[in-house]
Amino acid sequence: MKRFSRACITLLLSAVLILVLSACRSDTGNAVTVKPQTSIKVYISADTANNEIEKKINDAFTAKTGIKVEYDVVPGDDMYKKIDMDLASSASTTDVIPLTNPLPLDKYVKNGYLLPLNELLEADHYDADQIHGKYLTKYEGLIYSLPDNVSMWAVFYNKKIFDDADVPYPPSEWTWEQYIDTAQKLNDPSKGIYGSYMLDFDIYLFMLARQHNISAYKADGTSNYDDPIFKESLKFFGDLGNVHKIQPSWLDYQTNKLQWDGFMSGNYGMHLIGNWYTGLLTNSKDFPKDWKWGVTQIPTDGKGTNNFGVAYNHAVNKRSTHPKEALEYVKFKAQYAANMRGILPALADPAAQAESVKQIAELSNGSVTVDDLSKAFFDNRLGYVQEKNIGPAAAEYSTIILQESDLYLRGERSLDKTVQAIQEKADAAILKEMNKKE
């Protein structure tokens, strides 16, 4: 089975390489002419630097453009700690900056770290609005990045764990109560198996609020964390590990340094995560497994029925010494990287996303069908909203939520005091940013 998966990936990469070598579509612009010796540097996390498909993407890019790619590898769990320091000190000329969600994009635009791309895109006849549509982010008409892939959340599950526990696979529509009940049936402490797995991303701490599309900001820009839905959301997440015990508690997760790709270990029945996770599930070289997987839509509480997600972007450093070549890389990623990884592209053309879903099903080695993926991602009664809280001091607001919630989730502070602290500190950060603009 593993051989078959690798063969599929090889054929896919070969097909994409042939495509990009032959020419881009007429509406995506032409590549600049560069010397073969030209190199650009790209920030990349240490755990991604050795990814086989990432190397294949770069090889295809170099074959098409003659531009070589060098990595600026960032160690540790938080890639943006180093990037923040580099950009703030004016020390970095690393050409391309990956933006895994809108928060670093928002921060870097406000701090003046990114190169506006409009003029270069126009000179290259690249119509970003036509190509990327609603996935394109602008700041007062300026484009600072291009989206690579689009994420919406879903529940991925390990079919082997369900089969061993004699538990039916999750339905296409379901509630949080059903999710908890299912996870409890899958729990098997004797085998080290949990029914559920969630990470330490900020969205987990307020996901009910996003499902209800309740903003973290009031109309005047101040914090809206006194809305009861945020208190309910934090308690709900904490109870999954501390009360229902269907997944590692927050303290266990932090103390044991559990990993973002832990679901691939085969020890968890279900994983609530963005659909970018299909890139791991279909990559048997870097993430081998001996079990099949399934996917279904995110649960709801019956009233808040929105799904949520983000677009993954790439931007050009304002101090890049090769801005045109860096933009070629950003464009290439935006047009081809998602398909090569087996995830959903951030392209406006519905046919491109339909083809991507078909491709993911083919790469799944019989785990899922096109219908399974379509129902989980698109063909359902869920709405779709931005995952992150975007507004004044957005990145700092996110950090405050994580830091202050940590005390509650560890059992060191009450829920009411935690929510109050988040609102007060967020308001202070928001006021500070607003005062800078005046």
Side-chain angles (χ1 to χ4, degrees):
M1 185 166 69
K2 292 180 183 177
R3 283 183 194 165
F4 177 72
S5 178
R6 282 198 289 271
C8 285
I9 292 173
T10 300
L11 288 172
L12 169 66
L13 294 172
S14 299
V16 175
L17 179 57
I18 291 170
L19 173 66
V20 300
L21 285 173
S22 61
C24 291
R25 295 183 331 210
S26 59
D27 64 348
T28 59
N30 300 314
V32 297
T33 301
V34 296
K35 296 179 180 179
Q37 296 83 4
T38 302
S39 295
I40 59 170
K41 293 189 71 173
V42 180
Y43 281 115
I44 191 168
S45 63
D47 60 351
T48 306
N50 294 319
N51 186 287
E52 181 184 26
I53 292 182
E54 196 69 24
K55 292 179 181 179
K56 294 284 188 180
I57 292 171
N58 289 337
D59 288 344
F61 169 73
T62 299
K64 177 180 184 292
T65 65
I67 304 169
K68 296 181 179 180
V69 180
E70 298 178 6
Y71 286 156
D72 188 345
V73 180
V74 182
D77 296 331
D78 188 351
M79 178 171 63
Y80 292 107
K81 286 183 179 179
K82 180 183 186 302
I83 297 177
D84 287 354
M85 292 175 62
D86 286 355
L87 298 179
S89 67
S90 305
S92 175
T93 57
T94 297
D95 301 283
V96 177
I97 303 169
L99 302 160
T100 57
N101 66 69
L103 293 181
L105 171 60
D106 186 72
K107 179 168 65 174
Y108 293 165
V109 168
K110 290 175 180 177
N111 290 340
Y113 296 155
L114 305 182
L115 180 71
L117 303 177
N118 297 61
E119 291 185 8
L120 289 174
L121 291 171
E122 290 171 10
D124 206 26
H125 306 291
Y126 188 98
D127 190 337
D129 287 290
Q130 180 182 348
I131 296 167
H132 300 292
K134 64 183 179 181
Y135 305 119
L136 184 68
T137 300
K138 294 183 180 181
Y139 286 82
E140 297 179 353
L142 293 178
I143 299 170
Y144 290 91
S145 64
L146 294 180
D148 173 332
N149 64 78
V150 62
S151 170
M152 54 200 70
W153 285 59
V155 174
F156 297 93
Y157 56 92
N158 183 321
K159 289 185 175 180
K160 183 178 186 302
I161 290 179
F162 273 80
D163 292 343
D164 289 348
D166 196 24
V167 174
Y169 298 150
S172 58
E173 293 185 22
W174 57 333
T175 66
W176 283 114
E177 288 78 10
Q178 289 174 297
Y179 179 91
I180 294 170
D181 180 63
T182 300
Q184 288 173 332
K185 293 176 181 176
L186 298 175
N187 271 355
D188 190 343
S190 66
K191 296 180 180 179
I193 291 175
Y194 279 101
S196 172
Y197 194 59
M198 298 184 193
L199 309 180
D200 58 353
F201 299 166
D202 60 349
I203 177 61
Y204 290 105
L205 312 185
F206 52 81
M207 58 187 174
L208 296 187
R210 298 314 302 131
Q211 287 200 296
H212 285 254
N213 199 18
I214 303 298
S215 174
Y217 295 90
K218 290 184 168 68
D220 63 0
T222 58
S223 171
N224 193 38
Y225 247 71
D226 55 352
D227 188 299
I229 193 66
F230 290 99
K231 177 179 176 180
E232 180 185 349
S233 293
L234 182 54
K235 183 180 186 302
F236 173 79
F237 174 75
D239 285 353
L240 295 178
N242 295 331
V243 177
H244 303 299
K245 300 187 185 302
I246 60 173
Q247 63 188 25
S249 69
W250 182 268
L251 182 59
D252 288 338
Y253 186 93
Q254 300 292 339
T255 302
N256 297 323
K257 300 185 184 301
L258 301 180
Q259 298 300 305
W260 66 275
D261 56 357
F263 180 68
M264 301 305 295
S265 69
N267 294 326
Y268 302 95
M270 300 181 290
H271 188 22
L272 175 67
I273 195 70
N275 60 8
W276 53 267
Y277 214 83
T278 59
L280 282 69
L281 290 162
T282 57
N283 181 356
S284 62
K285 171 65 176 179
D286 296 305
F287 301 97
K289 61 186 184 304
D290 60 358
W291 43 272
K292 291 188 178 296
W293 56 278
V295 62
T296 192
Q297 72 176 49
I298 186 173
T300 72
D301 64 3
K303 297 179 181 178
T305 55
N306 289 299
N307 200 348
F308 39 78
V310 296
Y312 188 114
N313 288 253
H314 285 85
V316 178
N317 186 348
K318 191 174 184 178
R319 299 185 182 89
S320 167
T321 54
H322 302 289
K324 292 183 179 180
E325 291 83 356
L327 178 57
E328 284 302 305
Y329 184 80
V330 170
K331 287 166 48 184
F332 185 91
K333 283 274 192 170
Q335 294 167 249
Y336 302 111
N339 282 335
M340 295 178 78
R341 293 194 189 101
I343 54 181
L344 294 179
L347 299 173
D349 183 2
Q353 293 201 333
E355 183 62 28
S356 178
V357 169
K358 180 181 177 182
Q359 172 188 302
I360 294 168
E362 290 173 352
L363 291 173
S364 76
N365 285 339
S367 286
V368 294
T369 65
V370 169
D371 187 57
D372 294 334
L373 295 163
S374 297
K375 285 180 178 178
F377 301 155
F378 303 116
D379 300 334
N380 52 52
R381 292 187 286 182
L382 300 179
Y384 183 79
V385 296
Q386 166 61 248
E387 171 186 323
K388 297 296 184 182
N389 298 314
I390 301 300
E396 189 172 355
Y397 201 159
S398 173
T399 300
I400 290 168
I401 292 170
L402 285 167
Q403 290 178 341
E404 298 303 318
S405 296
D406 179 80
L407 295 173
Y408 165 70
L409 295 170
R410 289 173 178 266
E412 298 175 9
R413 187 170 60 187
S414 73
L415 179 60
D416 287 333
K417 288 185 177 179
T418 298
V419 173
Q420 181 183 356
I422 291 173
Q423 183 173 26
E424 290 176 352
K425 292 191 175 184
D427 273 338
I430 291 167
L431 181 61
K432 183 178 179 180
E433 181 172 302
M434 289 180 170
N435 287 338
K436 284 183 179 179
K437 294 181 179 180
E438 294 178 355

